[in-house]
Amino acid sequence: MKRVERMTPIMRTIHWVNALCMIAAVATGLYIGHPYYQTFIADPAVDKYVMAWNRWGHFIVAIIFDVTAILIGYLYLFSNFDKPYKKILPTKQNFIEFWEVFFNLITFNRRKKFDSTHSDSYNIVFFTFFHILLVFMLLTGLQLYVHGLASGESSIGTWWPAMLHIATDWTLTVFGGNMGVRIAHHTAMYIILMWVMSHIYYQIWRTIFWREGDIGIVFSGHKFVEEKEEDKK
């Protein structure tokens, strides 16, 4: 077996920052949608700004998601380490690789008729879908945020609400108003949670069936693949 680098330190940092932000976003988002706890001290929750702190925390992690989304988008196209976009091109090799992994995944088959040294087409398509969901969450979330700035003013000027309206008002038309946007934002959260469960299951499946240490990629950045005869020479 030979050791292969699969994730750089920057990629692993982005992965874990996103994971922690997602936990915080779900916890605070659920509270914003339906407050499920109050402060542990005698004063009412409203006097301790519990909702305000949850909204602030939700907004901060959303900003971090914005930054990581830009970084991921750049690396997706211009990374010198790996260029994921090549794996979603509609080529014969990518098509075969995608279905090979998919059917192995649902049938518990150990067969692997492709090179697993680098990320496979199925994994890249899977992650591309995830980041599309994140962009959707950011746009619908910003529409819900700017809805609270009805005066058109903000602490940093009128340009901020105006820019958000330009970028996100289309969601009102698509989903039939503010409540529709809220439902779409909330529903997308559950789709993302389903994605997370599938992602964890997939990595555990790869580790057990392929026996190449895939689960360790997000910790060490490396995995192990069987060395070919030509590599040994």
Side-chain angles (χ1 to χ4, degrees), residues 6-7 11-12 14-16 18-19 22 105 119-120 122-131 191-207 214-219:
R6 282 287 298 272
M7 290 183 75
M11 294 166 68
R12 299 199 304 274
I14 291 174
H15 175 277
W16 288 112
N18 277 351
M22 191 177 303
L105 182 63
S119 191
D120 56 79
Y122 176 86
N123 211 21
I124 295 300
V125 171
F126 198 55
F127 269 90
T128 301
F129 174 67
F130 170 69
H131 290 109
I191 296 174
I192 288 176
L193 290 177
M194 290 168 61
W195 184 96
V196 170
M197 290 186 288
S198 299
H199 169 59
I200 294 172
Y201 166 76
Y202 177 45
Q203 298 307 317
I204 293 174
W205 177 88
R206 289 166 62 105
T207 303
D214 287 83
I215 200 71
I217 294 174
V218 292
F219 300 101

Side-chain angles (χ1 to χ4, degrees), residues 76-94:
Y76 196 85
L77 297 172
F78 304 111
S79 172
N80 291 326
F81 177 75
D82 197 11
K83 289 182 171 57
Y85 76 89
K86 292 183 177 180
K87 285 290 186 177
I88 64 170
L89 297 177
T91 64
K92 180 180 178 181
Q93 180 182 351
N94 287 342

Side-chain angles (χ1 to χ4, degrees), residues 40-202:
F40 290 110
I41 55 180
D43 296 335
V46 67
D47 294 334
K48 292 299 177 184
Y49 307 106
V50 178
M51 177 61 78
W53 280 112
N54 275 275
R55 288 172 62 88
W56 178 83
H58 199 74
F59 186 62
I60 292 299
V61 296
I63 291 175
I64 297 173
F65 270 133
D66 277 328
V67 174
T68 58
I70 294 171
L71 289 173
I72 290 168
Y74 176 82
L75 294 174
Y76 196 85
L77 297 172
F78 304 111
S79 172
N80 291 326
F81 177 75
D82 197 11
K83 289 182 171 57
Y85 76 89
K86 292 183 177 180
K87 285 290 186 177
I88 64 170
L89 297 177
T91 64
K92 180 180 178 181
Q93 180 182 351
N94 287 342
F95 184 82
I96 293 173
E97 190 175 89
F98 177 90
W99 290 110
E100 178 76 14
V101 177
F102 177 75
F103 286 121
N104 283 358
L105 182 63
I106 63 175
T107 60
F108 303 103
N109 196 322
R110 293 181 185 274
R111 190 183 69 179
K112 180 163 63 68
K113 291 186 175 181
F114 58 90
D115 184 11
S116 61
T117 304
H118 302 286
S119 191
D120 56 79
S121 183
Y122 176 86
N123 211 21
I124 295 300
V125 171
F126 198 55
F127 269 90
T128 301
F129 174 67
F130 170 69
H131 290 109
I132 291 173
L133 280 174
L134 282 187
V135 171
F136 176 81
M137 288 292 281
L138 290 170
L139 292 173
T140 53
L142 287 173
Q143 171 56 224
L144 296 174
Y145 166 78
V146 77
H147 181 74
L149 304 175
S151 65
E153 297 284 345
S154 74
S155 59
I156 56 176
T158 58
W159 67 269
W160 172 240
M163 185 181 72
L164 293 184
H165 278 298
I166 292 172
T168 66
D169 276 0
W170 61 269
T171 60
L172 295 172
T173 303
V174 172
F175 298 107
N178 183 261
M179 183 53 68
V181 175
R182 190 177 301 275
I183 293 172
H185 188 75
H186 196 73
T187 302
M189 178 196 69
Y190 287 105
I191 296 174
I192 288 176
L193 290 177
M194 290 168 61
W195 184 96
V196 170
M197 290 186 288
S198 299
H199 169 59
I200 294 172
Y201 166 76
Y202 177 45

